Each structure stands twice: as C-alpha cells, then as structure tokens.
Amino acid sequence: MPALQHVLLLALDTADWFGHDYVGTEHVLIALARDSAGGASRVLHRLTTHEAIVSRVSDLMGQAPVGPAPDDTAEAAHKRVALRFGPAAEVDPTFPPFTPRVLKVLEMTRDEASRRGDAEPSSEHLLVALVREGGGLATAALQQLNVTAGAVIAATEDHLSWKPLLDMVREAELPPLEGAG
C-alpha cells in the first residue's frame, strides 16, 4: 500500500477511534504521527510527540478518543475501517467522510509532490500541505504545541534532503564489517 494511502487509512481509523464519522485535519495530523514507517512521523517526532498531538487535539475537540489506542498495522486498520465505514471507504479521497478542508489539503499534497519533482505524493508532502493550508484543528494543535508551520516545513525539507542517501544505505548490500560479530 503506498505511503499516502496508508496515512489516509490511519486517518479514517483515527476518526473512528474518536467516534467520528468524518475525517478532519486533526485526524490526518494524528495519522501522520501514528505512521511509524512514514517520513512525516519522523519529522513530527523531531518537533513534538504523538502523545502531545493526541492530547492537544483531544483538548481542542473537548473529547478524548474512545478506548485504547488502535493497532497501527495496515491490516488491523484496514479491517476496522471496512467495518466502520464499509469497503468503499478504504482510501477513496472522494468518499464523503473527508471534510472539504482535507480534500483541499490532498489537492495541495499532489501540488507539493509535483513542485518537488516527485512522482508520488508521500506523507511528507501531506504534512507540508497540511501546515501550508493553515486552518483546522491540526494547525491549532500544532500552534498550541509551539510547532510553527515554518519549523515543520524546515524539518521536512531537512528530512527530504537526507532521504535519498538513507534509502541508498538501506537498500545497499553492504558486506559485514571486518572484526564485527
């Protein structure tokens, strides 16, 4: 499953975790922080914590999540989303639960990927689009955590500048170090 689709699946799952039948920017922000394999999660964790984001969003909504934190694996989230919203909702951005602001952020995400010359939008593009859009509970939560749009964009740009090198290292067939064992 492509990274962006996984984040949107986690956003639907997060909405369900809060007992909501829509996906707002707040759910997308929490999903970005939850996606431990995504670059946006690494960026966010340089600036704040997942727990702080959930706490601040909960305070802004005046509502805590329902039950324990969900399992973040794609398979578990996929099952929960299909049960709650139906199979059509799995990751279709035209599905009604996405708020107009989230749909705008998704459009901005594609623009951000295109601007950078990337073939596929990623979680990093989504995070930058979310803060550039500048509205909704996601932005309010980050502002209350003293995380500015500028800081997010700078941290994301820094992360993306290292990403090709890190990907090469991860994919390289490196021989074991002599004497290591």
Side-chain angles (χ1 to χ4, degrees):
M1 172 179 292
L4 188 60
Q5 285 186 329
H6 180 68
V7 172
L8 294 177
L9 181 66
L10 289 175
L12 280 164
D13 191 44
T14 299
D16 184 48
W17 184 34
F18 277 89
H20 297 157
D21 59 359
Y22 66 91
V23 176
T25 60
E26 63 276 17
H27 304 115
V28 172
L29 177 62
I30 292 171
L32 286 166
R34 283 178 60 193
D35 180 25
S36 59
S41 177
R42 287 188 281 283
V43 169
L44 285 168
H45 290 145
R46 286 173 56 186
L47 303 169
T48 187
T49 65
H50 171 260
E51 294 78 14
I53 291 171
V54 171
S55 176
R56 190 59 55 209
V57 166
S58 295
D59 290 348
L60 287 166
M61 287 191 299
Q63 172 188 1
V66 179
D71 176 358
D72 290 341
T73 63
E75 298 80 27
H78 192 276
K79 287 178 186 175
R80 285 190 304 274
V81 166
L83 283 172
R84 171 83 160 110
F85 296 102
E90 289 171 2
V91 199
D92 179 1
T94 63
F95 187 72
F98 292 91
T99 64
R101 179 168 273 134
V102 170
L103 293 176
K104 178 181 177 187
V105 167
L106 292 174
E107 185 177 314
M108 292 172 68
T109 300
R110 286 187 292 276
D111 294 344
E112 186 65 28
S114 177
R115 183 187 69 75
R116 289 189 56 82
D118 296 329
E120 291 288 321
S122 67
S123 65
E124 294 95 331
H125 301 124
L126 179 57
L127 178 59
V128 169
L130 189 66
V131 299
R132 283 187 199 260
E133 194 281 331
L137 288 178
T139 299
L142 289 172
Q143 287 172 345
Q144 288 188 10
L145 291 167
N146 295 316
V147 177
T148 66
V152 170
I153 292 167
T156 303
E157 291 293 333
D158 183 56
H159 170 77
L160 289 173
S161 71
W162 283 95
K163 188 175 179 184
L165 178 62
L166 294 173
D167 288 345
M168 282 189 336
V169 169
R170 283 187 198 108
E171 293 172 11
E173 297 281 333
L174 299 176
L177 295 174
E178 288 187 31

